[in-house]
Amino acid sequence: MIGRVLGGIATSLLFSAFESWLVAEHNKRGFEQQWLSLTFSKAIFLGNGLIAIFSGLFGNLLVDSLSLGPVAPFDAAACFLAIGMAIILSSWTENYGDASENKDLLTQFRGAAVAITSDEKIALLGAIQSLFEGSMYTFVFLWTPALSPNDEEIPHGFIFATFMLASMLGSSLASRLMARSSPRVESYMQIVFVISSVSLVLPIITNFLVAPSKVKGGRISFAGCLQLLGFCTFEACVGIFWPSIMKMRSQYIPEEARSTIMNFFRIPLNIFVCIVLYNVNAFPITVMFGMCSIFLFVASILQRRLMAISDKPKMESWTAMTERDPEAEPLND
């Protein structure tokens, strides 16, 4: 429990402080805005993808090949955390920010709440993030029982590595999409959310179309293979989601309250995941996947709304320009 509490603090820092520092430092140094998208893509490709693949294979090696038991990957993780701590303490310089702008915690949260309620784009972005990440974290707990309903022998480490490979492919595709002026992030993310929604419907479809096996143990079933294909598609969508949502956050969330607002988004996310997991035994696994699929579809609808709102200032600006110059060309993103 202590580890989970500390893990929650570390996760909040990982998904807020690092990104906020990067965006602020990037803008302060006057780098090209396009480089920010490439940095996000490379971070997901190398960190969430390549390193995670090696982690999955290494965990599988510890458990299966070396027969060190299911706790061995946790012990190995502790070692790597200690190495990371040593590197940070010895090589990183502290960034205290502007001391004159320091505010107490309550003031920061009040400012974040005002920003979210006063700007529909920020509120939509927070809802989209909570819906997608909530579905993603629920999926983390569901994929193992979905692939082994009869206690089939499945190589968890290799399957996890396969998921991470799919995520790497998604982040690589995202970097190519963001490098182009068209389609915009707000546009292609609608398609990504719809595809991710359909991919999590696959367990429901296979449950109705493929007769379940009655044999305990054995290898992964045919239905499990079909579901694995859908899960890899979902992980590819996750790979596209991370750098894309990072870019949208850098566009819409004000720099002075970025960290606080990003952590604000995690409150409904964590409540949602806790409610789902607390009631996981009350519903069949197909119902849980169906719920996640609905949430992802709702995220696509909210993404469409976000794109419509973000297009309004450009259309108003173009309308004003054409009133002054009837031969003016439409604005490009």
Side-chain angles (χ1 to χ4, degrees):
M1 286 299 294
I2 294 173
R4 285 294 80 207
V5 171
L6 295 175
I9 296 172
T11 303
S12 294
L13 289 172
L14 179 66
F15 285 99
S16 58
F18 287 91
E19 185 179 327
S20 299
W21 176 87
L22 172 63
V23 173
E25 195 73 10
H26 185 95
N27 294 331
K28 186 170 73 174
R29 299 191 182 197
F31 293 151
E32 294 182 23
Q33 196 64 27
Q34 192 63 41
W35 293 0
L36 199 57
S37 303
L38 295 174
T39 304
F40 289 146
S41 299
K42 291 182 186 300
I44 301 302
F45 184 85
L46 296 173
N48 285 25
L50 192 63
I51 301 301
I53 289 174
F54 286 123
S55 299
L57 296 176
F58 184 57
N60 202 79
L61 173 71
L62 294 174
V63 174
D64 291 340
S65 302
L66 300 180
S67 301
L68 296 177
V71 182
F74 291 90
D75 297 334
C79 296
F80 283 108
L81 286 171
I83 294 171
M85 180 181 67
I87 293 173
I88 291 173
L89 287 174
S90 63
S91 62
W92 287 22
T93 56
E94 183 58 87
N95 179 7
Y96 293 101
D98 189 351
S100 63
E101 295 181 359
N102 285 342
K103 302 174 183 176
D104 62 83
L105 189 62
L106 187 60
T107 303
Q108 292 180 42
F109 273 101
R110 190 183 295 115
V114 169
I116 293 171
T117 54
S118 61
D119 191 334
E120 187 180 356
K121 293 192 289 292
I122 297 178
L124 285 170
L125 198 62
I128 290 167
Q129 177 179 321
S130 295
L131 288 168
F132 188 90
E133 290 190 33
S135 301
M136 180 184 68
Y137 290 132
T138 305
F139 164 79
V140 168
F141 290 95
L142 294 180
W143 72 263
T144 300
L147 296 180
S148 55
N150 295 312
D151 298 325
E152 288 90 347
E153 295 285 339
I154 60 173
H156 294 87
F158 285 111
I159 292 176
F160 176 76
T162 305
F163 287 164
M164 293 303 100
L165 179 60
S167 181
M168 280 180 64
L169 293 175
S171 63
S172 179
L173 176 61
S175 67
R176 285 167 171 75
L177 289 171
M178 289 190 292
R180 303 173 58 171
S181 58
S182 179
R184 293 170 51 204
V185 178
E186 293 84 355
S187 177
Y188 71 71
M189 281 307 295
Q190 297 176 61
I191 302 172
V192 171
F193 289 139
V194 171
I195 293 174
S196 62
S197 176
V198 172
S199 67
L200 292 190
V201 174
L202 205 53
I204 304 174
I205 297 174
T206 55
N207 185 66
F208 284 105
L209 298 182
V210 182
S213 174
K214 302 295 183 181
V215 181
K216 289 288 183 180
R219 301 176 67 85
I220 187 170
S221 63
F222 174 70
C225 292
L226 291 177
Q227 292 179 41
L228 181 60
L229 180 64
F231 294 164
C232 287
T233 304
F234 176 72
E235 285 292 341
C237 293
V238 171
I240 299 174
F241 169 79
W242 282 120
S244 301
I245 197 73
M246 287 175 176
K247 181 176 181 181
M248 286 191 287
R249 284 196 297 242
S250 70
Q251 292 174 341
Y252 298 126
I253 299 180
E255 183 177 326
E256 61 274 8
R258 180 172 286 119
S259 243
T260 310
I261 290 174
M262 286 164 62
N263 278 315
F264 225 95
F265 292 163
R266 301 191 67 80
I267 295 174
L269 162 65
N270 289 323
I271 293 174
F272 164 73
V273 174
C274 286
I275 292 173
V276 168
L277 295 180
Y278 184 76
N279 296 285
V280 70
N281 293 323
F283 303 102
I285 195 169
T286 51
V287 173
M288 306 299 287
F289 276 114
M291 189 166 56
C292 291
S293 180
I294 291 171
F295 289 150
L296 292 169
F297 186 73
V298 172
S300 71
I301 296 173
L302 297 181
Q303 182 68 53
R304 184 172 183 82
R305 172 63 180 167
L306 177 61
M307 186 180 73
I309 295 175
S310 63
D311 281 340
K312 277 184 180 179
K314 296 178 183 179
M315 292 303 298
E316 291 171 358
S317 175
W318 180 70
T319 302
M321 187 184 299
T322 53
E323 288 175 355
R324 294 192 301 269
D325 182 7
E327 297 182 358
E329 294 292 328
L331 294 174
N332 294 320
D333 185 23

